[in-house]
Amino acid sequence: MPALSVRHLLGIKYLNEKDIQLIFETADQFKEVINRSIKKVPSLRDITIANIFFENSTRTKLSFELAEKRLSADVLNFSASQSSVKKGETLIDTVNNILSMKVDMVVMRHPNPGAGIFLSKHVKASIINAGDGAHEHPTQALLDSYSIREKLGDVAGKKVIIVGDILHSRVALSNIFALKLQGAQVKVCGPKTLIPKYIESLGVEVEPDLRKGLLWCDVANMLRVQNERMEMSYFPTTREYTQQFGINKELLDSLGKEIVIMHPGPINRGVEITSDVADSSQSIILHQVENGVAIRMAVIYLLASQLNT
Ligand code: CP
């Protein structure tokens, strides 16, 4: 059976192109399963998975839980805000206590970049990074590329622009790694203060003008302005941000061509994207969420198959 080159999913940076294709082919099979009337397979009946979330989440948490249940795994849900972390328990103690209950896999979201990498070196379980600070969000990038492949037939050769708060975005970094591995062309667009200086070293071009970027691209991935990660002001006002880097129907219609609109969610409606664009026929935002379940099933299934090897 084909296997991933890694035992944990800590970031797209650690995957190769074959890994991504294997995840997509496996997700294709699970997508067929979850569209059947009986949406469950017995593949992971002997596996226990803990979802430990130290940060808020809607899409990632629910779709990991659903993916695990569709695979018939036993599921533990841990929310830091209701746990003994509040009494000062460390990350390693917390996870080792969970693992002593015979847990095989940990899905973790944490505010600190590298938290999953740290954990993988200290505990005996397969770790999946569900977002670590401004570092990586690998399953989001996988479901984003999978959604582009579904909509446009392939990712190779496609032109993708990532718009907005690149500096604080784990979604942007993981998407850049994933898109470049698959042979897409990538540009970023946003306020100068929210574009990291090293970005061009990742093989990405900077396009300061949103309209020019939209005329160039096949796909625009609009990022959320992450106010919670900003310790200072990166642009004068939200209104000015929206005027320069927000997408609205008038702008979209003026391009004279169809482009695919993506957003990882949660959306700040009226800031980076207006409702009429988010809900338009060019938007695949809810398809991204739907594909998240099949992609997470594939990642969990492939990592689980390596647990006792
Ligand atoms: N896209 C994403 O990670 O959303 P959540 O924060 O709701 O999981």
Side-chain angles (χ1 to χ4, degrees):
M1 178 185 154
L4 293 175
S5 67
V6 291
R7 302 179 77 86
H8 309 276
L9 180 61
L10 302 173
I12 301 290
K13 194 167 42 190
Y14 307 103
L15 300 182
N16 59 45
E17 216 265 330
K18 274 192 183 157
D19 290 325
I20 295 185
Q21 291 316 322
L22 177 58
I23 292 168
F24 287 179
E25 284 157 21
T26 311
D28 286 341
Q29 292 168 30
F30 286 131
K31 189 147 183 187
E32 193 264 313
V33 168
I34 56 184
N35 282 310
R36 289 185 202 152
S37 53
I38 297 170
K39 298 175 171 55
K40 220 166 159 161
V41 286
S43 316
L44 299 193
R45 250 191 334 225
D46 302 324
I47 301 288
T48 304
I49 305 176
N51 301 314
I52 65 174
F53 278 66
F54 293 84
E55 250 187 20
N56 294 341
S57 169
T58 299
R59 281 146 289 270
T60 312
K61 192 165 188 284
L62 288 177
S63 75
F64 265 114
E65 187 177 342
L66 195 57
E68 291 150 6
K69 289 179 172 167
R70 297 276 192 249
L71 291 165
S72 304
D74 290 321
V75 180
L76 291 177
N77 282 313
F78 169 92
S79 168
S81 60
Q82 292 156 9
S83 73
S84 292
V85 168
K86 289 280 166 204
K87 301 176 199 164
E89 193 166 35
T90 65
L91 175 60
I92 291 184
D93 279 344
T94 301
V95 175
N96 272 329
N97 275 273
I98 294 171
L99 293 183
S100 69
M101 300 174 209
K102 309 286 177 228
V103 166
D104 303 289
M105 197 177 280
V106 173
V107 175
M108 182 171 75
R109 171 167 287 191
H110 199 281
N112 293 347
I117 299 167
F118 173 74
L119 203 60
S120 70
K121 290 182 180 154
H122 290 90
V123 303
K124 285 187 191 150
S126 183
I127 309 294
I128 299 179
N129 176 8
D132 59 336
H135 179 226
E136 280 225 37
H137 192 350
T139 54
Q140 179 69 45
L142 289 167
L143 73 89
D144 288 344
S145 282
Y146 186 77
S147 302
I148 294 173
R149 171 185 177 263
E150 185 176 69
K151 182 76 182 171
L152 300 179
D154 203 350
V155 177
K158 298 295 177 295
K159 295 174 182 166
V160 181
I161 191 156
I162 306 174
V163 182
D165 180 2
I166 312 295
L167 183 67
H168 299 99
S169 176
R170 54 195 176 208
V171 174
L173 193 58
S174 288
N175 259 277
I176 289 168
F177 288 138
L179 291 164
K180 295 298 292 180
L181 260 184
Q182 295 168 91
Q185 294 180 58
V186 184
K187 289 190 180 184
V188 295
C189 175
K192 219 173 169 179
T193 48
L194 289 173
I195 306 281
K197 300 224 175 339
Y198 61 79
I199 202 77
E200 283 170 343
S201 70
L202 303 178
V204 168
E205 274 182 56
V206 179
E207 172 53 75
D209 183 320
L210 178 62
R211 186 178 162 74
K212 279 190 191 161
L214 296 177
L215 283 166
W216 167 82
C217 75
D218 302 303
V219 178
N221 195 349
M222 307 302 295
L223 300 180
R224 181 172 68 90
V225 175
Q226 301 186 65
N227 290 312
E228 76 279 14
R229 292 195 202 284
M230 296 183 191
E231 284 156 7
M232 53 186 258
S233 188
Y234 288 86
F235 43 83
T237 62
T238 303
R239 191 157 164 262
E240 281 181 62
Y241 177 90
T242 302
Q243 276 172 353
Q244 261 191 289
F245 300 106
I247 190 163
N248 58 44
K249 198 75 170 60
E250 195 187 342
L251 175 56
L252 192 62
D253 289 346
S254 76
L255 300 176
K257 64 170 201 170
E258 285 253 324
I259 61 167
V260 177
I261 302 293
M262 302 176 73
H263 193 301
I267 298 172
N268 294 313
R269 284 179 185 258
V271 178
E272 63 268 359
I273 187 167
T274 52
S275 283
D276 50 9
V277 174
D279 304 331
S280 72
S281 59
Q282 284 170 255
S283 158
I284 59 165
I285 295 171
L286 291 179
H287 293 285
Q288 291 171 255
V289 179
E290 183 188 338
N291 286 333
V293 178
I295 282 290
R296 289 174 175 122
M297 285 174 83
V299 167
I300 293 165
Y301 175 81
L302 290 165
L303 289 176
S305 66
Q306 300 193 48
L307 276 173
N308 297 314
T309 57

